[in-house]
Amino acid sequence: YEIHFFDNMNGLVSGVSNKVITTDDGGDSWEVVDLSEDLMFETVSVSDAQLAIASRYNKVYRSTDHGRTWSTLHTFNDFTSGIFSLNFTSPERGFAFGRGMWSGGDMGHSMGAIHFTKDGGATWIGADNVHEIHDISSASFPTPNVGYAVSYEGFVKIRVK
């Protein structure tokens, strides 16, 4: 589960199967929003006063109304099997982290996936075969140009030029 606020009044909770829970009164009351697809968002990123970006498996979704309605924004290739962390440092610039390609064999492992967008998520560039870190589960950007991603194997520092 994740909870995010757009401002002091509008927020949403994700992670509930086929639902998002929203508030527009600072959390005094909450509304359950049924989603039309079989969705249980794995991660949500709020990037401005109304925009939210969420993911489920290898798809990214967008809401422009505080999470009340969602549309598919992008589908990653089959090698990126899960996006576990979305981080938007502005409405245009964002990162998606997760599980990438399988290294192969019975004793193989998933490689990490790191993707970047500079157009609000319409297009992404990146890699789904990051050998240095596997299954990236979480990331954070303390500044717009420096971030950290973590997995069970360790963490990496990301610098944006």
Side-chain angles (χ1 to χ4, degrees):
Y1 299 98
E2 289 188 9
I3 187 167
H4 296 277
F5 274 80
F6 299 88
D7 53 38
N8 64 338
M9 299 302 284
N10 296 283
L12 66 85
V13 174
S14 68
V16 182
S17 185
N18 301 328
K19 295 174 180 36
V20 173
I21 304 168
T22 64
T23 183
D24 61 7
D25 60 9
D28 290 337
S29 64
W30 294 85
E31 176 187 354
V32 176
V33 178
D34 289 315
L35 302 173
S36 59
E37 297 182 45
D38 181 24
L39 290 177
M40 184 175 76
F41 292 138
E42 292 166 344
T43 186
V44 174
S45 180
V46 171
S47 65
D48 72 9
Q50 295 206 14
L51 178 65
I53 308 289
S55 73
R56 173 75 170 153
Y57 299 124
N58 67 336
K59 289 187 178 182
V60 177
Y61 300 86
R62 175 187 190 104
S63 173
T64 57
D65 59 3
H66 299 130
R68 288 174 182 80
T69 60
W70 296 86
S71 60
T72 302
L73 183 60
H74 184 79
T75 301
F76 289 101
N77 65 36
D78 290 338
F79 295 120
T80 298
S81 60
I83 298 298
F84 306 133
S85 184
L86 287 168
N87 300 84
F88 274 74
T89 57
S90 75
E92 296 81 30
R93 268 177 39 161
F95 295 85
F97 300 91
R99 178 182 302 129
M101 296 174 66
W102 183 253
S103 66
D106 292 338
M107 301 301 287
H109 62 272
S110 295
M111 296 180 216
I114 300 174
H115 300 278
F116 172 74
T117 183
K118 58 183 178 181
D119 60 9
T123 60
W124 296 80
I125 58 171
D128 48 23
N129 60 350
V130 181
H131 298 274
E132 296 78 12
I133 189 168
H134 309 162
D135 280 7
I136 300 169
S137 59
S138 183
S140 181
F141 281 77
T143 73
N145 295 320
V146 177
Y148 299 87
V150 66
S151 80
Y152 65 89
E153 292 228 326
F155 65 92
V156 294
K157 185 175 188 176
I158 295 119
R159 293 178 197 211
V160 181
K161 294 181 179 183

